Amino acid sequence: MPRFGLEHSYARELPGCSVPCRPVPVAAPRLLYVNAPLAEELGLDPGPWQGEVGDALFAGNRLPDDAEPIAQAYAGHQFGGFSPQLGDGRALLLGERIDGAGRRRDIAFKGSGRTPFSRGGDGRAALGPMLREVLIGEALHALGIPTTRALAVAATGEEVWRDRPLPGAVLTRVAASHLRVGTFQFFAARGAVEPLRRLVDYAIARHDPALAAAPDRALALLRAVAQRQAELLAQWLSVGFIHGVMNTDNMTISGESIDFGPCAFLEAYDPATVFSSIDHGGRYAYGNQAAIARWNLARFAEALLPLALPPGAAEEGPEQEAALRQAAERAGVVIDAFPAWHAAALRRRWRAKLGLDGASGRDDAALDAADDALLRDWLALLQAQAVDFTRAWRHLADAAEGREAPLAALFAEPAALSPWLARWRARCEQDDVASGRLDPAAAARERAARLRAVNPWIIARNQRVEEALAAATDAGDLGPFAQLLQALREPFTERPDRPDLARLAEPAPTAFTAAYRTFCGT
């Protein structure tokens, strides 16, 4: 088998954090999809993956000669309830490769069979959810959002049973790492302080090497992870992405999006939007995601608290209690800072989506308050009139050029839009004056171009994703999947010359969205 140039720092440096495990061979492997751009990033040549070699390689029947597969251990809070042992129940880390930019990247299977962490599951995956991982990962990547990505999908030639028999598949996933909040919780729950300390050292060396000399390394890591998550959640919200199952085992230390089960995108704007079939109380609704991220980070902080004790010290007695209390207070400062970090990150995103520079000449506090009010009123308009989130933002570019009709057509009561548009234009003019853009026509063209560069024309519309997955699952037709993937890779480029792609950008009928539910696919 071809060599992938794999290294194995996780298994080597963190004994006890994983279990060696081999993929379970499948009946009739067939390679269905290879992510050529990602292979190029990794510095891998897909040429040798043709034919039976690629079929066997990406279904797990044969492995790269330098693979040493392991199942990683982790715990996690799932819908608020703690499970002390989860782990890779159907995933295997094959190893790590240094890519063309010098970054260490995990290469892992998903759906490759039972592991010691399977907890009664079959360890397999259905084709539809694995293709969903491709579509969502590539869509987020094209939108500039940190995310894990799929390198390949292979059919197994076997059925998996969920609510009905479905064709099976194995996904090959690439990630900055698979370290999760739940990875740290696993060892904290067992009082395994030294493995936890090694895990922190490993995470810092891999993701935050500048923190290597920090006096309180655990606290420094907590701060870095919280700041990454503040940015990530702002990016999700700005494009209407709903992860759907933000358990602590689905929050990465790297700040990448991961595990695209019941995820979806907003259609009509409503912060209470939930599509996940298992989220009965709206815990992971669109508008709750930042608060849940903070909750998850608090659990991360709790997992790190044992490291406040000197090595070898018992966790009893007044000195130890004082050390833990002081550590909790320091961690609490980070957790309490998260909303402000997130708000600042989100404000930057919203301003860009509104075409604003933030250069009106007023003091920052007054500017922030005015812009926040402008944004709140815009979102309130969208919600009150059930306006499509993506289309509304995109058509702001037309309004910037003086063509309000495309935007107004989205509103049941177009007259309600006019007062807000007047305020928005006045705010834009303040930026233009402060920035020296004195030609109104040129300023309008420039603003429209900036708006079209940050407000996508197309997202992974839920209806189109389901159509593509159904065609692949029920008819073995990958054509709709390939066409949708092509469009999602250029989300800011309108294609009026391609009606077949333009239809993929259209909102779903209200009746479809009202009844739409997503599933974990496990």
Side-chain angles (χ1 to χ4, degrees):
M1 279 284 118
R3 296 178 66 85
F4 274 19
L6 296 177
E7 300 178 0
H8 306 282
S9 68
Y10 187 90
R12 182 182 67 250
E13 298 178 26
L14 298 170
C17 293
S18 60
V19 178
C21 188
R22 305 283 296 184
V24 180
V26 302
R30 182 165 60 94
L31 183 58
L32 300 178
Y33 165 78
V34 171
N35 190 333
L38 180 55
E40 183 177 353
E41 274 186 33
L42 293 168
L44 291 171
D45 176 13
W49 304 344
Q50 304 301 315
E52 294 182 0
V53 170
D55 294 342
L57 181 65
F58 288 104
N61 281 18
R62 297 185 64 185
L63 294 177
D65 290 341
D66 49 3
E68 297 178 11
I70 57 172
Q72 293 179 306
Y74 52 85
H77 277 87
Q78 300 188 310
F79 285 88
F82 185 62
S83 296
Q85 180 167 305
L86 297 172
D88 286 336
R90 56 173 178 165
L92 293 174
L93 174 61
L94 303 183
E96 309 129 18
R97 178 176 171 84
I98 307 301
D99 69 11
R103 300 169 298 185
R104 183 175 294 272
R105 314 277 290 276
D106 280 2
I107 301 180
F109 281 158
K110 186 173 182 178
S112 53
R114 286 179 51 79
T115 78
F117 301 112
S118 293
R119 298 176 297 151
D122 60 13
R124 291 301 188 187
L127 175 61
M130 298 304 95
L131 293 180
R132 180 189 293 274
E133 290 246 0
V134 177
L135 293 172
I136 301 302
E138 291 304 285
L140 293 179
H141 176 70
L143 290 166
I145 300 175
T147 182
T148 59
R149 297 169 67 191
L151 177 62
V153 175
T156 63
E158 300 174 351
E159 290 184 336
V160 296
W161 280 84
R162 298 299 180 253
D163 58 333
R164 61 188 177 99
L166 298 167
V170 176
L171 174 84
T172 302
R173 180 164 65 188
V174 175
S177 84
H178 285 81
L179 292 172
R180 313 156 187 264
V181 168
T183 313
F184 295 79
Q185 291 181 292
F186 181 87
F187 296 99
R190 288 157 176 76
V193 176
E194 287 312 308
L196 185 62
R197 197 182 309 278
R198 288 196 299 269
L199 189 59
V200 167
D201 291 345
Y202 179 84
I204 288 175
R206 185 152 180 182
H207 295 299
D208 297 287
L211 303 179
D216 189 338
R217 292 157 62 80
L219 182 66
L221 178 63
L222 173 64
R223 178 181 296 271
V225 172
Q227 290 174 336
R228 283 195 285 270
Q229 289 294 331
E231 291 285 345
L232 178 64
L233 268 292
Q235 290 173 290
W236 284 3
L237 295 179
S238 73
V239 297
F241 180 68
I242 308 169
H243 184 278
V245 60
M246 288 179 62
N247 297 331
T248 58
D249 55 298
N250 290 337
M251 176 179 274
T252 64
I253 302 306
S254 67
E256 285 187 326
S257 314
I258 193 171
D259 284 333
F260 307 121
C263 61
F265 282 82
L266 284 175
E267 298 263 351
Y269 176 74
D270 182 351
T273 300
V274 173
F275 291 119
S276 171
S277 64
I278 59 175
D279 191 359
H280 304 297
R283 178 181 176 87
Y284 300 139
Y286 167 82
N288 288 348
Q289 292 181 114
I292 288 295
R294 183 189 184 193
W295 191 91
N296 287 350
L297 289 165
R299 308 291 77 75
F300 183 40
E302 291 169 354
L304 297 175
L305 285 183
L307 300 182
L309 299 176
E315 294 187 26
E316 297 179 359
E319 292 184 3
Q320 289 80 6
E321 290 178 6
L324 288 173
R325 184 169 58 253
Q326 292 170 6
E329 290 173 355
R330 292 193 298 271
V333 171
V334 175
I335 301 305
D336 289 343
F338 176 82
W341 291 336
H342 171 68
L346 191 55
R347 183 181 291 119
R348 288 193 299 272
R349 297 271 163 190
W350 290 139
R351 274 181 173 151
K353 289 174 71 68
L354 287 167
L356 305 180
D357 296 337
S360 73
R362 293 179 293 173
D363 67 274
D364 289 343
L367 179 64
D368 289 350
D371 287 355
D372 288 351
L374 185 68
L375 183 276
R376 279 196 308 271
D377 292 346
W378 166 247
L379 294 179
L381 268 176
L382 301 189
Q383 183 175 1
Q385 301 209 23
V387 176
D388 183 77
F389 185 76
T390 301
R391 281 284 176 91
W393 286 107
R394 184 69 178 186
H395 284 319
L396 273 180
D398 301 316
E401 294 175 324
R403 295 180 292 109
E404 298 179 5
L407 178 60
L410 302 176
F411 287 74
E413 300 174 11
L417 176 63
S418 297
W420 183 89
L421 275 179
R423 291 168 56 199
W424 175 65
R425 292 188 191 284
R427 176 65 181 85
C428 291
E429 288 173 6
Q430 289 178 341
D431 270 357
D432 293 340
V433 171
S435 301
R437 294 189 291 262
L438 303 181
D439 181 340
R445 288 193 299 271
E446 180 185 335
R447 176 164 288 104
R450 285 190 282 118
L451 285 165
R452 292 189 178 105
V454 296
N455 292 318
W457 168 66
I458 188 169
I459 56 169
R461 294 278 184 185
N462 306 321
Q463 181 183 22
R464 303 311 179 194
V465 170
E466 295 301 332
E467 289 172 351
L469 301 187
T473 297
D474 299 334
D477 180 7
L478 289 173
F481 163 81
Q483 186 182 59
L484 180 56
L485 180 60
Q486 176 189 0
L488 293 176
R489 282 179 163 157
E490 296 186 82
F492 302 104
T493 304
E494 288 193 50
R495 297 298 303 271
D497 59 317
R498 290 283 305 274
D500 57 328
L501 298 183
R503 64 177 286 275
L504 301 177
E506 296 174 359
T510 302
F512 173 89
T513 301
Y516 182 60
R517 296 294 177 268
T518 55
F519 301 88
C520 282
T522 54

